[in-house]
């Protein structure tokens, strides 16, 4: 028997240079969805990206003496079906927004499937999209920057000057 597909899927892409940290954050997200009694997200592991460099040890002599370095980027893709209880979906969204994913780059997308019959309230889908946009606007410190945070920091810097 084929399972019914959700009309809207939330896709959370996580990537990190440290595999242990990435796995820890994936488990944290999965546990959160289970605590909120949402369906378990499907987890995919895209290929690890490996970048390699070779550098001369000395710029003057000994061209044969070289050092080699590599950097690995591990990735995980979690897909959440968004058809369900509206309260649970809001709770999951708020939890993901406040969750600290230190050392892990997170990217969120909301995928539509127009062929499915059930519909998720537009407000929920819009909240997921706005959170995805906020993730794209991350600051250098790793915190999500919002318009309110920018206004607060501008007021604080103006008052201190």
């Amino acid at each position: 028997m084929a399972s019914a597909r959700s009309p809207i899927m939330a896709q959370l892409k996580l990537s990190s240079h440290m595999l242990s940290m990435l796995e820890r954050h994936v488990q944290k997200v999965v546990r959160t969805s289970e605590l909120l009694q949402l369906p378990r997200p499907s987890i995919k592991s895209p290929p690890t990206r490996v970048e390699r460099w070779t550098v001369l040890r000395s710029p003057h002599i000994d061209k044969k003496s070289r050092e080699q370095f590599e950097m690995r980027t591990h990735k995980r893709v979690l897909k959440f079906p968004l058809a369900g209880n509206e309260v649970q979906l809001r709770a999951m969204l708020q939890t993901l927004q406040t969750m600290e994913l230190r050392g892990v780059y997170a990217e969120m997308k909301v995928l539509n499937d127009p062929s499915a019959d059930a519909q998720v309230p537009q407000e929920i889908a819009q909240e997921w999209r706005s959170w995805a946009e906020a993730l794209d606007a991350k600051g250098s410190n790793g915190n999500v920057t919002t318009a309110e945070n920018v206004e607060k920091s501008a007021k604080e810097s103006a008052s201190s000057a």
Side-chain angles (χ1 to χ4, degrees):
M1 183 173 168
S3 62
R5 289 182 39 142
S6 172
I8 299 177
M9 298 284 289
Q11 177 176 309
L12 180 63
K13 289 183 183 180
L14 301 174
S15 62
S16 176
H17 298 296
M18 295 179 61
L19 182 61
S20 60
M21 188 176 295
L22 178 67
E23 291 297 331
R24 190 174 333 131
H25 289 304
V26 167
Q27 291 305 317
K28 189 188 295 187
V29 171
V30 170
R31 274 196 313 265
T32 302
S33 68
E34 289 172 353
L35 287 174
L36 295 172
Q37 298 175 350
L38 289 171
R40 184 178 173 92
S42 65
I43 302 171
K44 305 261 191 234
S45 299
T48 300
R49 180 177 178 205
V50 180
E51 296 179 59
R52 292 187 174 105
W53 298 275
T54 301
V55 180
L56 293 175
R57 286 185 190 212
S58 171
H60 305 294
I61 57 170
D62 293 330
K63 177 138 173 119
K64 292 181 183 178
S65 176
R66 299 176 184 209
E67 286 189 79
Q68 295 180 339
F69 301 96
E70 78 174 21
M71 181 172 63
R72 294 176 178 262
T73 305
H74 305 278
K75 302 172 193 167
R76 296 292 180 267
V77 178
L78 289 81
K79 288 189 178 180
F80 297 90
L82 293 183
N85 185 348
E86 187 174 335
V87 175
Q88 290 172 330
L89 292 174
R90 285 187 192 277
M92 183 66 180
L93 175 66
Q94 290 174 347
T95 305
L96 284 174
Q97 286 175 338
T98 58
M99 195 177 288
E100 290 187 18
L101 300 175
R102 295 188 186 269
V104 176
Y105 175 75
E107 182 182 327
M108 178 70 123
K109 284 185 184 177
V110 178
L111 310 170
N112 293 325
D113 183 7
S115 63
D117 339 63
Q119 290 297 319
V120 171
Q122 286 293 1
E123 295 172 359
I124 298 284
Q126 184 58 37
E127 285 182 37
W128 281 88
R129 286 187 185 97
S130 65
W131 186 69
E133 291 168 3
L135 268 179
D136 289 340
K138 271 189 174 185
S140 60
N141 59 0
N143 296 327
V144 176
T145 57
T146 61
E148 295 172 2
N149 292 344
V150 172
E151 289 176 12
K152 284 180 186 176
S153 63
K155 287 179 184 177
E156 289 173 3
S157 62
S159 65
S160 64

